[in-house]
Amino acid sequence: MTISNRPEVLTFLADHYDGGWHPWPFFWIVPLLFWIAVLTVAFLARRRFAGRAGGVGTLRTAFARGEITEDEYRSRLAVLREPDRPAKS
């Protein structure tokens, strides 16, 4: 006979079961943290990639308006697309 089949245990469980479902105390914290993480990642990704595309977009607009020549456009685009380098002192 296991402990779950003993009459005292079954009586105790039957007397203390109210039939309701009791959620885990942190039931709302997990989905809230999930959505905060998703929104934070989306915000940071948009901010990071918008900054890079912003410079190229501005350069394209200036070239389309005729404010800079094709040679200037290509040289400035090359500078924008090269990897980050240490600042000159």
Side-chain angles (χ1 to χ4, degrees):
M1 178 182 262
T2 63
I3 192 152
S4 62
N5 290 338
R6 296 188 67 188
E8 305 86 32
V9 173
L10 294 175
T11 304
F12 176 80
L13 292 174
D15 288 344
H16 291 87
Y17 178 69
D18 63 355
W21 178 70
H22 301 288
W24 180 48
F26 304 109
F27 180 75
W28 295 106
I29 292 176
V30 172
L32 180 65
L33 290 176
F34 170 77
W35 286 112
I36 287 173
V38 167
L39 293 174
T40 302
V41 167
F43 174 76
L44 292 175
R46 180 176 179 209
R47 187 173 162 193
R48 177 177 177 155
F49 292 118
R52 290 185 180 174
V56 175
T58 304
L59 187 60
R60 286 180 184 159
T61 303
F63 179 64
R65 289 181 182 167
E67 297 171 0
I68 58 174
T69 65
E70 184 177 354
D71 293 332
E72 286 178 305
Y73 172 77
R74 292 190 187 279
S75 66
R76 291 180 184 186
L77 186 61
V79 170
L80 286 175
R81 288 190 175 165
E82 70 185 24
D84 293 336
R85 54 189 169 159
K88 294 179 183 178
S89 40

